[in-house]
Amino acid sequence: MTHYDAIVIGSGMSGGWNAKELAEKGLKVLVLERGQKIEPAKDYADFLNPWDTPNFDKIAEDEIKQHYPIQHRGVGYAVKESTKHFWVKDSEHPYDTPKDKPYDWLRGHHTGGRSLTWGRQSYRLGPQDFEANKLDGHGTDWPIRYDDLAPWYDYVEKFAGISGSHEGLPQLPDGVFQPAFELTCAEKAFKKNLESAFASRKVIPARVAHLTAPTAEQMALGRGPCQARNHCNKGCSFGAYFSANSATLPAAMRTGNCTIVNNAIVHSLDYDATTKRVTGVKVIDANSKEVTTYTSRIVFLNASAIASAMILLQSKSPTYPNGLANKSDQVGRNLMDHVSAASANGVISGFDDKYYYGRRPGGIYIPRYANITEDNKPYLRGFGFQGGSWRESWTGNKAGIGADFKESNRKPGNWRISIYSFGEILPNPENRVTLSKDKTDKWGLPQAYIDCEMGENEKIMMREAQKDAYSMLKEAGATDISRGPDAELDLSLPGNRIHEMGTARMGRDPKTSVLNKWCQAHDVPNLFITDGACMPSGGCQNPSLTYMALSARAANHAVKLFKQGII
């Protein structure tokens, strides 16, 4: 079968949601995934011990240099011998950048995409985030506001399962939460002292997409409560954290309306100038290189912000010589991520007789206060801090063996607390991805050329955030603080936070944006894009929850248009 009601390109965070929503509403859906099929029993490694793998699960240095230099640099903690199949080989998926503008493109080609390997921090954007572009003139105005998306945040949170606490903070709206993971004794002390010293700043439990009180709907999909093992980057056999593999794709498949084709590399989208519609998707088999065209009435493009832009740029026609739906010349532009650099950690005393149980998937979060509850900052927008506490290593790097060694190292070290910044990047049309003019990949498709760098606002913001990190730890009573207020900062490379956004942004004006308020292409009404490409700005919060809400909202709208015969 090659004809469907809807085709979804990409099976990850947003693609999985589109597949679920479209299939549950009765459409026959094809999901095209460029990577391999993932089978939890065979491909997850969360029950595999390090000593059961070569080199204690470390990839050999020569192999890292040859095949995983970028992936390992970006997320070395997650790229292991047992999990390397969740990450692309850089040697097989090259791309170019200017020599002075490195970019970390961190990717996984497989069923579920990065929903298998994400950090699972789940925060709503606040009302200020939907208005920021209009107010300070950077980027294009969002065509929606918080109230438009709020019911869809409710909808996806209920299904996905988000643990968190109700705090009543306008800039970080509460949601539909399962019980939050409890703060440790050190974190509770830090919270009390910091909030006493800074009335406008709050410390709250991290909001994470982990089940703590599974609903009947979630258990019916085979999901169970989080075991607090901290093996998340190896896949979760309990289905405790949200992924397309554990939640949305099984929900889509049980309808009988969804088909998934793996190893399907999208070449381009076919466009009919008479009907002004996309008619099909041209696909290359990753193994045989055989070409197939699948047709449908609706196409959802969810390949990730960079890959989705590349597919549009590759889809040229007489009507769109610069790429499909690109009359605005905004496809590929405004590439964003988040910026990190500011951090600090220090010792919290007074709790040496206490320890913690299990290994939680999240610690603390300090929501944005800059230009919210505190004004007159020398930068626009703001940042939040993620962090947590732990007891320092029992053994560290000490050498030794035998009973005497174990006996002398049974006492854990100090309690230490750490906070780490995530800041917003201003939209910039010069930060962009284009197609290489002379380099192709092994399937004959143009390589990406990514030209992106941090701006002056991001540099100033992180310098100020470093001062804040230090002062918060100091005022909260921490000692032995690792980084001072004037610490030398190396900003995270663009892409390194793995929050790529903005390359086919939503907007009110077709002349300055690619998509309308429904994530629907202004000029191609049966084409929708709901991955990070659609974002006009990023806020400072982790964006995946917003992708989910936008995807469910857009799919619901697409089905209405489909049943009315409009698309």
Side-chain angles (χ1 to χ4, degrees):
M1 178 177 175
T2 58
H3 182 74
Y4 295 82
D5 295 327
I7 295 174
V8 179
I9 300 170
S11 65
M13 193 69 70
S14 56
W17 267 102
N18 288 324
K20 169 188 177 295
E21 295 301 304
L22 296 169
E24 286 182 342
K25 291 175 173 61
L27 275 63
K28 296 297 182 183
V29 181
L30 172 66
V31 177
L32 296 173
E33 168 52 54
R34 72 168 291 153
Q36 64 184 319
K37 181 179 180 180
I38 291 293
E39 300 176 35
K42 177 173 67 73
D43 295 311
Y44 287 5
D46 53 327
F47 285 113
L48 190 64
N49 295 309
W51 51 86
D52 294 326
T53 64
N55 301 316
F56 289 95
D57 212 20
K58 295 181 180 179
I59 304 175
E61 287 295 326
D62 288 347
E63 186 177 358
I64 291 174
K65 291 178 181 178
Q66 182 178 359
H67 295 302
Y68 300 99
I70 297 170
Q71 309 304 307
H72 195 269
R73 178 177 68 196
V75 280
Y77 68 90
V79 183
K80 303 294 185 182
E81 183 65 32
S82 63
T83 62
K84 62 187 182 183
H85 55 291
F86 291 157
W87 304 92
V88 302
K89 288 185 176 181
D90 297 310
S91 56
E92 296 180 357
H93 301 277
Y95 60 96
D96 273 348
T97 67
K99 291 183 178 179
D100 59 341
K101 298 180 184 179
Y103 187 95
D104 280 352
W105 191 8
L106 306 175
R107 299 165 280 170
H109 294 162
H110 50 261
T111 308
R114 287 179 298 203
S115 77
L116 271 187
T117 53
W118 66 310
R120 305 165 307 284
Q121 299 270 331
S122 301
Y123 305 100
R124 297 186 180 198
L125 295 183
Q128 74 284 344
D129 298 309
F130 294 89
E131 301 170 0
N133 286 3
K134 181 178 181 180
L135 292 177
D136 64 32
H138 292 269
T140 190
D141 186 22
W142 280 76
I144 60 174
R145 291 294 185 258
Y146 174 75
D147 288 345
D148 295 306
L149 204 56
W152 294 100
Y153 276 129
D154 289 350
Y155 179 77
V156 300
E157 286 166 343
K158 181 180 178 181
F159 177 82
I162 310 298
S163 63
S165 58
H166 291 88
E167 303 288 345
L169 301 174
Q171 75 271 34
L172 192 74
D174 294 328
V176 179
F177 295 142
Q178 295 187 9
F181 288 89
E182 186 178 3
L183 300 184
T184 67
C185 55
E187 290 163 357
K188 290 176 182 177
F190 177 72
K191 171 181 172 66
K192 180 181 178 180
N193 294 340
L194 186 144
E195 292 179 357
S196 177
F198 300 94
S200 61
R201 304 180 191 182
K202 301 296 179 184
V203 178
I204 68 173
R207 296 173 180 175
V208 288
H210 285 251
L211 302 183
T212 53
T215 64
E217 180 183 34
Q218 289 157 349
M219 289 188 289
L221 288 167
R223 303 183 65 194
C226 178
Q227 304 298 299
R229 301 176 304 156
N230 195 28
H231 294 318
C232 310
N233 56 65
K234 299 180 179 181
C236 182
S237 298
F238 295 91
Y241 74 73
F242 173 83
S243 70
N245 305 57
S246 69
T248 48
L249 291 178
M253 295 302 291
R254 70 182 175 184
T255 67
N257 292 327
C258 184
T259 301
I260 301 176
V261 175
N262 287 87
N263 300 308
I265 299 174
V266 173
H267 175 282
S268 56
L269 308 182
D270 291 340
Y271 175 76
D272 186 321
T274 302
T275 61
K276 298 182 180 180
R277 302 290 191 270
V278 173
T279 59
V281 182
K282 186 178 180 181
V283 170
I284 303 171
D285 185 281
N287 298 318
S288 69
K289 297 186 179 180
E290 180 181 352
V291 177
T292 304
T293 296
Y294 297 95
T295 59
S296 68
R297 283 175 55 184
I298 302 173
V299 173
F300 271 81
L301 181 51
N302 300 96
S304 82
I306 292 174
S308 289
M310 292 177 66
I311 290 170
L312 293 178
L313 294 172
Q314 288 161 198
S315 303
K316 297 179 180 181
S317 68
T319 306
Y320 293 100
N322 297 319
L324 184 64
N326 195 24
K327 289 183 179 179
S328 64
D329 189 37
Q330 292 301 311
V331 171
R333 294 186 181 273
N334 310 294
L335 177 60
M336 298 174 288
D337 187 20
H338 284 118
V339 60
S340 294
S343 67
N345 67 77
V347 171
I348 301 291
S349 301
F351 303 99
D352 288 352
D353 61 336
K354 294 180 173 61
Y355 203 70
Y356 41 81
Y357 178 80
R359 296 185 289 271
R360 302 164 303 163
I364 60 173
Y365 187 63
I366 301 174
R368 176 182 160 188
Y369 50 84
N371 298 312
I372 299 286
T373 56
E374 299 178 19
D375 297 321
N376 301 317
K377 301 295 184 181
Y379 52 86
L380 298 172
R381 316 281 173 109
F383 49 85
F385 285 99
Q386 296 175 21
S389 65
W390 71 98
R391 294 207 71 168
E392 291 178 309
S393 173
W394 297 30
T395 59
N397 295 317
K398 300 174 184 177
I401 192 170
D404 290 342
F405 173 78
K406 286 191 281 187
E407 184 61 33
S408 65
N409 288 283
R410 289 190 182 278
K411 184 179 179 181
N414 293 318
W415 278 96
R416 189 168 283 273
I417 195 158
S418 174
I419 56 176
Y420 189 77
S421 62
F422 281 77
E424 182 169 0
I425 292 177
L426 296 178
N428 178 355
E430 299 309 311
N431 285 339
R432 65 186 301 195
V433 57
T434 55
L435 302 180
S436 173
K437 295 179 173 59
D438 55 7
K439 294 183 179 180
T440 58
D441 62 21
K442 61 192 293 186
W443 298 278
L445 298 175
Q447 291 183 19
Y449 185 82
I450 303 173
D451 186 345
C452 186
E453 64 181 343
M454 297 297 180
E456 191 61 26
N457 193 68
E458 288 82 67
K459 296 174 185 177
I460 296 171
M461 179 193 295
M462 285 296 100
R463 286 198 292 268
E464 294 299 309
Q466 180 59 42
K467 297 176 184 177
D468 288 1
Y470 177 83
S471 66
M472 285 191 286
L473 284 170
K474 183 177 180 181
E475 294 300 320
T479 58
D480 189 27
I481 300 173
S482 66
R483 298 179 71 181
D486 298 317
E488 288 293 323
L489 298 183
D490 291 320
L491 269 62
S492 57
L493 291 178
N496 185 267
R497 302 297 84 195
I498 329 181
H499 297 161
E500 62 195 66
M501 300 175 278
T503 58
R505 66 187 182 185
M506 301 165 66
R508 300 177 186 275
D509 186 351
K511 295 179 181 179
T512 58
S513 60
V514 181
L515 309 172
N516 67 13
K517 66 180 181 178
W518 302 107
C519 299
Q520 178 184 21
H522 287 298
D523 302 319
V524 187
N526 67 335
L527 173 63
F528 295 79
I529 306 173
T530 63
D531 60 17
C534 74
M535 300 282 282
S537 63
C540 65
Q541 304 90 314
N542 302 55
S544 294
L545 186 67
T546 299
Y547 302 167
M548 297 186 210
L550 289 169
S551 294
R553 180 176 181 269
N556 181 70
H557 182 68
V559 170
K560 288 181 180 178
L561 298 180
F562 178 89
K563 292 183 176 180
Q564 293 170 5
I566 296 174
I567 58 175

